[in-house]
């Protein structure tokens, strides 16, 4: 069992930057692949980025590629989402999630994630 707590959301102007953090409880953080998802107003939850257990590989959605970067620090049990060049359409509740894996697979489907945080709001003004 792992608990995830996101932080770092807020209000930012278009073109600005934010860094989200997700702190995980427990001593087995390095056995989980991690991902970020978001859900905008009236929209379904969508995949943003994922990172393998070791952090050696990442994958991002086309909509954020080149602007958002996912990373992790296993010593701190934390995964990050650095968001640059933010756009109004990035406005959403952002969730971090964890999936149990014994491989270096990257997972994008929400139903394959085992644990979810409560979310943090990101609002980008135009």
């Amino acid at each position: 069992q792992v608990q995830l707590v996101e932080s770092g959301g807020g209000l930012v102007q278009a073109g600005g930057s934010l860094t989200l953090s997700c702190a995980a409880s427990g001593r087995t953080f390095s056995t989980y692949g991690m991902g970020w998802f978001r859900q905008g107003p009236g929209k379904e939850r969508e995949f943003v980025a994922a990172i393998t257990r070791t952090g050696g590989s990442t994958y991002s959605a086309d909509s954020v590629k080149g602007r958002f970067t996912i990373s992790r620090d296993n010593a701190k049990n934390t995964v990050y989402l650095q968001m640059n060049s933010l756009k109004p359409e990035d406005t959403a509740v952002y969730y971090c999630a964890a999936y149990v894996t014994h491989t270096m697979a990257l997972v994008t489907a929400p139903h394959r994630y085992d644990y979810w945080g409560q979310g943090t709001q990101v609002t980008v003004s135009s």
Side-chain angles (χ1 to χ4, degrees), residues 51-58 72 74 104:
I51 189 165
T52 55
R53 289 161 42 199
T54 62
S57 294
T58 64
R72 66 189 295 164
N74 285 351
M104 295 301 165

Side-chain angles (χ1 to χ4, degrees), residues 34 36 51 55 58 69-73 78-82:
M34 300 296 296
W36 286 96
I51 189 165
T58 64
T69 302
I70 187 172
S71 62
R72 66 189 295 164
D73 185 338
T78 302
V79 63
Y80 304 96
L81 186 68
Q82 173 68 44

Side-chain angles (χ1 to χ4, degrees), residues 18-88:
L18 278 177
T19 300
L20 305 183
S21 299
C22 174
S25 65
R27 295 179 290 178
T28 59
F29 181 67
S30 61
T31 66
Y32 295 96
M34 300 296 296
W36 286 96
F37 291 78
R38 67 186 182 185
Q39 187 165 13
K43 298 181 180 179
E44 293 188 355
R45 189 169 298 190
E46 66 171 341
F47 169 79
V48 175
I51 189 165
T52 55
R53 289 161 42 199
T54 62
S57 294
T58 64
Y59 180 75
S60 300
D62 288 344
S63 58
V64 305
K65 201 162 289 184
R67 299 188 299 123
F68 292 10
T69 302
I70 187 172
S71 62
R72 66 189 295 164
D73 185 338
N74 285 351
K76 295 183 178 179
N77 281 15
T78 302
V79 63
Y80 304 96
L81 186 68
Q82 173 68 44
M83 305 185 294
N84 298 325
S85 302
L86 282 160
K87 305 175 182 179

Side-chain angles (χ1 to χ4, degrees), residues 92-109:
V93 177
Y94 282 73
Y95 300 88
C96 76
Y99 58 96
V100 177
T101 180
H102 301 290
T103 73
M104 295 301 165
L106 286 162
V107 174
T108 63

